[in-house]
Amino acid sequence: MNIITSLYENYLLKQVSGSSAKIPGHVSLVLSEKDISQPNGFVKLKEYITWCSQLNIRIASIYVDVLDTEEELRSEMVERLVEKLAEFLPELPYDIGFEVYSDEGELCLEREDEKMLVYVSVGFGGRKEVTEAVLSILSDVRDGKLDSSSIVEETIESRLKVKHEPDIFIRSGGKHLSDFLIWQAVYSELYFTDVNWHNMRKLDILRIIRDFQKRQRRFGK
């Protein structure tokens, strides 16, 4: 990092930390499997999580969009990505906890958190998540464990994998959003950046947070 970049990063950090507006507590990021399957993809992911931790972001949720449509190829890709995550996530500082879900919503890897929690979903999108939650509720109604008249929004929310609403949703590379956290992110702020994932720097995250702090959130109003 050259001196100009370093000075600008420090300038942004002072703006963010000195603002009366809060830093987002939960930041979501959407990536493709190509983003992190490149040589430095997982290194960049580790850097990103570290930056979030340094900025006192409490929750980071990350969706890896697996694009292969053939079931066999998709399953192989998901398995490889989960194996790679199992290698590098335990290397994070121990006060950073994590939960990793496969494309079927299976909890593959977890560690309790003390300072920060990282959710990583490998191909398990929002439509699957909500469908699974609804099917779980219907099963309980059928078995007499739940009265259908008592079903409210909170009933569905209690069955979701990620129970925290993102403050801001980031999509790198200027691409479209996925269906990740479609229930939880209904009032989230959206941020599209043209910066390619492999070129993402801490100052880019600081810019996003500064932009978030300047926004007036309406929560659908």
Side-chain angles (χ1 to χ4, degrees):
M1 182 167 57
N2 61 47
I3 188 168
I4 295 177
T5 301
S6 178
L7 289 171
Y8 183 48
E9 183 180 300
N10 288 334
Y11 167 75
L12 290 171
L13 183 59
K14 287 180 180 179
Q15 283 197 316
V16 167
S17 59
S19 172
S20 59
K22 293 182 179 180
I23 288 176
H26 180 183
V27 176
S28 279
L29 173 71
V30 178
L31 302 172
S32 72
E33 89 277 3
K34 292 181 180 179
D35 287 328
I36 63 172
S37 60
Q38 295 298 319
N40 72 329
F42 281 93
V43 173
K44 182 62 67 175
L45 186 60
K46 187 175 181 179
E47 288 178 345
Y48 169 77
I49 293 171
T50 302
W51 295 334
C52 288
S53 176
Q54 291 171 347
L55 294 169
N56 295 317
I57 292 169
R58 180 67 182 84
I59 300 171
S61 52
I62 300 160
Y63 180 62
V64 183
D65 197 0
V66 182
L67 302 176
D68 284 317
T69 54
E70 294 184 27
E71 185 175 349
E72 185 176 348
L73 292 175
R74 181 183 177 85
S75 297
E76 290 176 358
M77 174 62 73
V78 170
E79 184 177 352
R80 287 199 298 270
L81 292 175
V82 170
E83 288 177 354
K84 191 68 177 178
L85 287 165
E87 291 178 12
F88 99 90
L89 283 177
E91 297 177 354
L92 292 169
Y94 199 74
D95 57 358
I96 300 177
F98 47 79
E99 294 181 10
V100 178
Y101 293 93
S102 71
D103 62 335
E104 295 301 323
E106 178 186 0
L107 181 60
C108 304
L109 188 68
E110 66 176 325
R111 185 171 78 185
E112 291 187 5
D113 67 292
E114 294 180 8
K115 177 184 178 183
M116 179 184 180
L117 178 59
V118 179
Y119 292 102
V120 184
S121 174
V122 185
F124 185 66
R127 285 176 292 184
K128 283 186 177 180
E129 185 182 27
V130 173
T131 300
E132 187 177 280
V134 171
L135 289 174
S136 172
I137 292 169
L138 291 175
S139 176
D140 282 354
V141 171
R142 183 187 62 239
D143 295 340
K145 298 178 182 178
L146 183 66
D147 187 341
S148 61
S149 64
S150 67
I151 297 174
V152 292
E153 288 185 8
E154 289 75 15
T155 310
I156 297 176
E157 290 170 355
S158 68
R159 310 293 175 107
L160 300 175
K161 305 295 184 185
V162 179
K163 297 177 175 58
H164 308 91
E165 298 178 359
D167 293 302
I168 189 167
F169 225 100
I170 304 169
R171 186 51 155 123
S172 66
K175 301 174 184 177
H176 60 79
L177 287 172
S178 70
D179 71 334
F180 183 50
L181 303 185
I182 52 175
W183 180 284
Q184 300 93 321
V186 64
Y187 296 135
S188 300
E189 296 294 314
L190 303 180
Y191 191 98
F192 294 86
T193 171
D194 291 330
V195 179
N196 185 278
W197 170 244
H198 300 286
N199 297 324
M200 188 75 71
R201 300 161 296 176
K202 185 177 181 180
L203 66 84
D204 295 306
I205 304 302
L206 286 165
R207 281 172 172 167
I208 293 170
I209 293 176
R210 183 180 63 176
D211 180 90
F212 172 83
Q213 290 177 322
K214 291 179 179 179
R215 297 185 185 187
Q216 183 177 1
R217 301 188 68 189
R218 298 184 181 276
F219 298 96
K221 297 179 182 179

